[in-house]
């Protein structure tokens, strides 16, 4: 069954001096401020589209990785995934660096790395972000 999730943004003003809010409508878990300085300079307590993409990518990757390992008979004790999304004004999103540390008893390093790469390639958010030319993965079995 397909699902649809919704977010809404309200914006006031021009790009550089304006500001807005993004509301996570489907879950109703929050409304967050957004503005250009948070995107191109320092966050200062305000989010950005790139931070929201990083959240989506790190969570989707973790789910895909966990699912892939379970399908091979492994029990995941823990996955800690970080996504660093690089935004270059004038160019857009230029890179995403995924970093994962995992505790998976009985999994060899070779099988771990293969499963990590498979999750990167097949996570729906990775596929949606295929236009980003530089998506890297550093995976560590702990």
């Amino acid at each position: 069954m397909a699902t649809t999730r919704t977010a809404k943004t309200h914006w006031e003003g021009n790009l550089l001096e304006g500001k807005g809010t993004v509301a996570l409508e489907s879950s109703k878990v929050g409304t967050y401020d957004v503005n250009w300085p948070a995107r191109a300079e320092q966050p200062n307590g305000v989010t950005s589209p790139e931070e929201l993409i990083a959240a989506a990518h790190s969570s989707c990757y973790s789910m895909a990785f966990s699912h892939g390992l379970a399908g091979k008979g492994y029990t995941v004790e823990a996955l800690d995934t970080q996504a660093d999304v690089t935004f270059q004004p004038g160019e857009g999103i230029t890179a995403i660096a995924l970093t994962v540390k995992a505790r998976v008893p009985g999994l060899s390093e070779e099988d771990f790395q293969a499963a990590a790469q498979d999750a990167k390639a097949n996570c729906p958010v990775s596929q949606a972000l295929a236009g980003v030319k530089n998506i890297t993965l550093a995976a560590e079995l702990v």
Side-chain angles (χ1 to χ4, degrees):
M1 182 169 93
T3 59
T4 300
R5 298 294 180 256
T6 303
K8 290 183 181 178
T9 299
H10 174 78
W11 187 266
E12 297 175 357
N14 65 31
L15 174 63
L16 298 180
E17 297 165 0
K19 63 182 177 180
T21 57
V22 60
L24 304 182
E25 290 292 313
S26 301
S27 63
K28 303 287 188 208
V29 297
T31 299
Y32 304 94
D33 293 334
V34 291
N35 64 30
W36 178 256
R39 194 170 190 188
E41 299 165 18
Q42 293 299 315
N44 294 322
V46 178
T47 195
S48 68
E50 291 72 28
E51 184 175 36
L52 296 170
I53 288 171
H57 205 175
S58 67
S59 59
C60 183
Y61 175 84
S62 294
M63 290 179 193
F65 196 10
S66 175
H67 181 67
L69 289 170
K72 294 178 193 260
Y74 294 100
T75 300
V76 174
E77 287 184 358
L79 290 176
D80 292 300
T81 305
Q82 179 171 318
D84 297 303
V85 176
T86 301
F87 173 75
Q88 178 64 47
E91 293 180 46
I93 295 173
T94 58
I96 300 173
L98 291 169
T99 306
V100 62
K101 292 184 180 184
R103 227 176 22 257
V104 186
L107 183 61
S108 73
E109 181 67 28
E110 182 180 347
D111 289 344
F112 170 73
Q113 292 298 330
Q117 290 296 331
D118 184 65
K120 176 183 167 245
N122 293 305
C123 136
V125 172
S126 288
Q127 292 175 348
L129 296 170
V132 178
K133 294 179 177 86
N134 186 21
I135 299 178
T136 60
L137 172 65
E140 180 182 351
L141 185 59
V142 295

